[in-house]
Amino acid sequence: AQKVTQAQTEISVVEKEDVTLDCVYETRDTTYYLFWYKQPPSGELVFLIRRNSFDEQNEISGRYSWNFQKSTSSFNFTITASQVVDSAVYFCALSEVRLVAYKYIFGTGTRLKVLA
Amino acid sequence: NAGVTQTPKFQVLKTGQSMTLQCAQDMNHEYMSWYRQDPGMGLRLIHYSVGAGITDQGEVPNGYNVSRSTTEDFPLRLLSAAPSQTSVYFCASSQGTAAAEAFFGQGTRLTVV
């Protein structure tokens, strides 16, 4: 069965520190997609990145980077030089291609607090 | 560019009352879904639809009904509200593939007393 685990419930860092948010997933399929979403204090969910199961290249976008490792079923998210504006709840999600009507499965989220 | 619009943003219901949460999208997306967000539980899928006239249950469907008469609208009905349905509800839409990112509404905070 599909499952997404975000073991870190809450993380607090001081501004400018680097922080990594962990995501571990379970799936029986060889074709699937992984996502990260950000939920700032205002409440809306914002898409950050998508990665398909055949692309294990790490990705960097500004201060954000993502490390996808199929061998450990992990899709971790690192924020470099964190800022107060990074304070949010971050969700990892999985969708499988094989389903006729696919479903997103979300992790329970990690609340990141960046202190000034 | 409205995206996904949810109404209302806040609602207080008494136990046993019914209501409908509205969701509309203007992106011509095939796939729409409803989630509830509870502390420590993440986002859990209630119902979803892959197109007009087609709906299916998600992880936590009990106590909720949906219908999809048009591509744009996907209302969620609470039949007889219970305190356990106190939650934040999100509507989302996406193109009809597993690769597509979801676009979310701003959420509805529902309290059942």
Side-chain angles (χ1 to χ4, degrees), chain A residues 33 35 37 39 42-45 47 50 89 91 95-97 100-109, chain B residues 31 35 37 40-43 45 48 50 57-58 90 94-102 104-106:
Chain A
Y33 289 83
F35 303 80
Y37 287 83
Q39 185 180 39
S42 54
E44 78 279 15
L45 284 107
F47 165 75
R50 164 186 46 241
V89 180
F91 289 97
S95 71
E96 294 177 338
V97 173
V100 173
Y102 73 95
K103 305 172 190 177
Y104 268 67
I105 300 297
F106 283 86
T108 51
Chain B
Y31 188 94
Y35 292 86
Q37 182 179 14
M41 306 288 285
L43 289 156
L45 182 65
Y48 64 98
V50 298
Q57 296 181 349
F90 286 96
S94 60
Q95 294 180 340
T97 73
E101 72 267 29
F104 286 84
Q106 293 210 320

Side-chain angles (χ1 to χ4, degrees), chain B residues 51-65:
Chain B
I54 306 170
T55 64
D56 204 350
Q57 296 181 349
E59 184 184 355
V60 287
N62 292 340
Y64 308 95
N65 267 358

